[in-house]
Amino acid sequence: AGEIATLCKDPVAGRHLIETIMDLPKGHSWARQRVLHKLIPNYIVSISENRFGWHVVRKAFDNGTLNDKMLLVKALAKSSNRLAGNTFGARLLNHCKVQLYKQHPDHWSRDQARAKQTKKRERMNEWLEDIE
């Protein structure tokens, strides 16, 4: 897991390798989940504070299942005071709506479900425009 965390913080190639895993389509979510489960317990906070690593966490959140997002937000919420004092951590807290999660987890879940539906509709519309 330490090696994966190091790759996430690598400005040249490592970060892009891990971001590619985070961008994999729905059918390959097992790879994203495997990486996340290795990173979340001990490394997610330091990666989130890193200039390059926070992009990896953002992509994991954006492309993750609701369960993936919940795991990430719980981990970020536990360290939200620390992350809020860091430029990249603060961006991530805002992007993942950690404050909303801490105050109203049910609203956060509904927002995530709505965002997923909107994203599906946008992709379908793009696909339909492409075939016209």
Side-chain angles (χ1 to χ4, degrees):
E3 295 86 9
I4 297 171
T6 301
L7 287 173
C8 291
K9 297 176 185 181
D10 178 33
V12 183
R15 176 187 123 210
H16 298 292
L17 173 69
I18 303 300
E19 282 184 14
T20 300
I21 293 170
M22 297 305 158
D23 278 337
L24 288 172
K26 191 176 181 179
H28 300 284
S29 62
W30 61 269
R32 179 178 43 256
Q33 290 167 346
R34 195 165 181 186
V35 170
L36 286 176
H37 286 284
K38 288 181 185 260
L39 294 177
I40 285 178
N42 300 313
Y43 300 100
I44 204 69
V45 174
S46 67
I47 293 169
S48 299
E49 293 175 320
N50 181 270
R51 177 179 178 185
F52 305 104
W54 85 277
H55 292 286
V56 174
V57 180
R58 182 178 47 83
K59 283 198 175 214
F61 181 84
D62 289 347
N63 297 315
T65 64
L66 186 56
N67 191 41
D68 296 341
K69 291 179 180 193
M70 185 77 74
L71 288 171
L72 279 169
V73 169
K74 282 182 182 179
L76 296 173
K78 284 182 186 176
S79 299
S80 61
N81 289 338
R82 176 178 164 180
L83 291 170
N86 174 279
T87 302
F88 309 108
R91 287 180 189 172
L92 201 52
L93 292 175
N94 187 43
H95 182 78
C96 299
K97 301 181 181 181
V98 173
Q99 194 62 34
L100 177 62
Y101 172 79
K102 287 170 68 175
Q103 293 174 345
H104 303 287
D106 53 329
H107 293 328
W108 180 88
S109 293
R110 279 196 302 268
D111 278 2
Q112 296 308 311
R114 259 185 299 218
K116 184 177 179 178
Q117 289 302 319
T118 301
K119 194 173 182 179
K120 278 184 181 178
R121 260 187 253 117
E122 288 172 357
R123 284 184 182 162
M124 181 60 81
N125 287 338
E126 287 174 13
W127 182 76
L128 289 173
E129 287 174 7
D130 287 345
I131 62 172
E132 288 179 349

